[in-house]
């Protein structure tokens, strides 16, 4: 894994939990949100693997994809346990929500 790929993986790990929380609605259950996060992070992992050119070694694909998926799951669990995804992001998302009649 190159420095660029490592940086992209860290960026993915920090950003994807917020993206999933931002699109999460009452219609999206926890399991759907979890699988959405896994799918998005797997895609980001595949794109990260290609950052240094198309990998010819299958282990490069697996390393990048599992690093992104595992990192996102760990970050999401850590963010959730301290209330980052629930309180902070929900508060940020509510900033643009103007209540009528207020």
């Amino acid at each position: 894994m190159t420095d660029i790929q490592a940086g992209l993986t860290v960026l993915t790990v920090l950003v994807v939990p917020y993206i999933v929380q931002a699109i999460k609605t009452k219609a999206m259950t926890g399991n759907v949100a979890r699988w959405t996060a896994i799918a998005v992070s797997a895609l980001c992992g595949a794109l990260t693997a290609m950052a240094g050119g198309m990998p010819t070694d299958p282990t490069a694909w697996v390393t990048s994809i599992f690093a992104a998926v595992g990192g996102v799951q760990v970050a999401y669990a850590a963010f959730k346990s301290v209330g980052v995804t629930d309180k902070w992001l929900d508060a940020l998302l509510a900033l643009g929500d103007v209540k009528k009649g207020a």
Side-chain angles (χ1 to χ4, degrees), residues 11-86:
L11 183 66
T12 297
V13 165
L14 295 176
V15 171
V16 169
Y18 289 106
I19 293 170
V20 171
Q21 188 69 20
I23 63 171
K24 189 174 170 183
T25 63
K26 292 185 184 349
M28 183 186 280
T29 65
N31 277 339
V32 173
R34 182 174 294 113
W35 284 107
T36 301
I38 289 170
V40 170
S41 53
L43 176 65
C44 290
L47 294 173
T48 298
M50 293 185 290
M54 188 66 75
T56 56
D57 184 15
T59 59
W61 289 103
V62 172
T63 301
S64 291
I65 291 170
F66 280 110
V69 171
V72 166
Q73 293 302 303
V74 169
Y76 189 78
F79 292 163
K80 190 131 182 103
S81 69
V82 295
V84 172
T85 55
D86 288 338

